[in-house]
Amino acid sequence: QVHLVESGGGLVQPGGSLRLSCVASEASGFTLDYYTYAWFRQAPGKEREGVSCISASDGWTSYADSVKGRFTISKDNAKNTVYLQMNSLKPEDTGFYFCAAAPHAELVSLNPVDFHNWGQGTQVTVSS
């Protein structure tokens, strides 16, 4: 079971930036290098939606159309940390952001059903 802890959320004005971090740990000591990671978000009254994904294999990435060109996902295997750099933030980016992981190195997916390990989330609010 992978334990995920997100941080970096907060209140930012439209057009601003935030960087979310997700630190992964695994009690049994198995390497986390073979996990695919993703960021999801959920706004009040809306379904959880995939934002971005990065696979373990070759670092393939995927982005929701709504964030392409503004958000960048990356990871640091040495630190077991996944990042989501969010630029040019819009009010519609407001929501609770979750980090998720799946033990499939070649998975590239923005479908929440493909991920079974979830963090507690961090709130992002974009408002003037």
Side-chain angles (χ1 to χ4, degrees):
Q1 184 75 11
V2 176
H3 183 59
L4 304 169
V5 179
E6 303 95 331
S7 63
L11 172 65
V12 63
Q13 292 186 344
S17 298
L18 282 175
R19 188 177 79 157
L20 305 183
S21 299
C22 172
V23 178
S25 60
E26 215 277 343
S28 64
F30 279 76
T31 179
L32 297 168
D33 294 354
Y34 301 105
Y35 279 73
T36 284
Y37 296 90
W39 287 95
F40 293 82
R41 67 186 180 189
Q42 189 165 18
K46 295 187 177 181
E47 293 186 354
R48 190 168 297 188
E49 64 169 338
V51 175
S52 185
C53 170
I54 185 167
S55 72
S57 174
D58 296 325
W60 287 104
T61 59
S62 178
Y63 295 91
D65 288 341
S66 58
V67 306
K68 282 181 180 176
R70 301 189 298 121
F71 290 12
T72 303
I73 190 170
S74 62
K75 64 175 182 170
D76 186 333
N77 286 341
K79 295 182 179 180
N80 291 329
T81 302
V82 181
Y83 303 98
L84 184 68
Q85 178 66 44
M86 306 186 295
N87 299 327
S88 302
L89 282 161
K90 305 175 181 179
E92 51 264 43
D93 294 318
T94 294
F96 217 69
Y97 282 68
F98 298 89
C99 178
H104 304 292
E106 298 182 352
L107 175 69
V108 179
S109 173
L110 294 180
N111 190 336
V113 301
D114 291 328
F115 295 84
H116 301 286
N117 298 282
W118 293 84
Q120 294 300 305
T122 185
Q123 176 69 39
V124 172
T125 303
V126 185
S127 175
S128 55

